[in-house]
Amino acid sequence: MSEERFGEFVLVRRHERGHVAELVLDRPKAMNAVSTEMARSIAGACAALGEDRDVRAVVLTSSHERAFCVGADLKERNSFTNADLVRQRPVARGAYTGVLELPVPTVAAVHGFALGGGFELALSCDVIVADGTAVVGLPEVSVGVIPGGGGTQLLPRRVGAARAAELIFTARRVEAGEARELGLIDQLVEEGRDREEALAMAARIAANSPVGLRAAKRALRLGHGLDLPAGLEVEDGAWRSVAFSGDRAEGVAAFNEKRKPEWPGE
């Protein structure tokens, strides 16, 4: 396993086997509150991972024992002028869109608090695995703002408009069991096993065709919200991008030869 640090607060681990990368939120003294510097580092790490063709799946984890991420660094923002806030906005957005626009499947491993921007980072992933200690929510209206890392758009896509409205308007925190029932998380695991289970899921994902995975994610993301005929055209375009690939040829050959495929990744 190799490690690469992006700034002081973000660590990327590339696991030698399985083509899985781990994006670690590593600001434990602040429960991973996202400062300007940390946001810039998240965006930088995502840019590097997106360009790494050896990476087939990314797991978003936390180094803090009791929190995934508590959201924006409100202590930093308390000192901001209006001009400071305006200047920070594109940096902050870059962190969330960096995760959201990763071209490979992403899995969030959540334990403890995942609030505000912290939950939005998880929502930006394709799948959320959480343990029994997880507490999630978008409490931004309780401090005079709104979810600004994608929450007002990503949450209703998960749970529907009315449910998302109730959760955002009340600013309430939701514990793990209810979060699973409501669809705020996808897989609920035993306490302390969120990272392990998320990495295992990522390994299963990464065993598949890298060309196929990227195309499938593109079709899922671009087709969401379109009417069915338009969505099917998106799917057809993604299918055409893989139909004549080396991965498709290898996958069919391996199936017929009853062996494990060796993906060329092109």
Side-chain angles (χ1 to χ4, degrees), residues 219 222-235:
L222 294 179
H224 190 92
L226 300 178
D227 61 34
L228 183 58
L232 291 173
E233 288 303 311
V234 168
E235 181 183 82

Side-chain angles (χ1 to χ4, degrees), residues 80-111:
F80 276 9
T81 64
N82 288 344
D84 291 333
L85 194 58
V86 169
R87 282 191 293 269
Q88 192 214 32
R89 178 59 178 162
V91 179
R93 286 194 69 186
Y96 302 105
T97 57
V99 176
L100 185 64
E101 294 176 0
L102 278 166
V104 297
T106 51
V107 183
V110 175
H111 59 265

